[in-house]
Amino acid sequence: MMGKIGLGLLAVVAVLYILALVVAFLLAFPVGVIGLLALGGVGLMLAQALRDRLSNAEDDHYSKNVDL
């Protein structure tokens, strides 16, 4: 329970931080485009990694059945 609350709080802070970055990049418009492109690239890579992880049945099998 405490772990889920902690992860939830971290997610809220991460979203707020990303929003602050986007606002700062927009305020520094000509130079801020570089930061927006970099942030977009990182976001696309994160989305791809999450999609690959969620669609891989083999990873699910090992995470549920193999003890470390």
Side-chain angles (χ1 to χ4, degrees):
M1 181 70 176
M2 297 290 282
K4 289 184 181 183
I5 293 172
L7 284 176
L9 289 173
L10 283 176
V12 169
V13 170
V15 168
L16 291 174
Y17 187 76
I18 290 170
L19 286 175
L21 279 174
V22 169
V23 168
F25 288 145
L26 290 175
L27 288 175
F29 173 64
V31 179
V33 172
I34 297 169
L36 282 174
L37 290 173
L39 190 61
V42 169
L44 288 173
M45 290 185 339
L46 178 64
Q48 179 67 38
L50 287 173
R51 184 178 10 191
D52 288 347
R53 170 57 189 98
L54 292 174
S55 66
N56 192 341
E58 185 178 353
D59 285 346
D60 291 336
H61 170 75
Y62 283 109
S63 65
K64 291 177 184 175
N65 298 323
V66 176
D67 293 328
L68 296 177

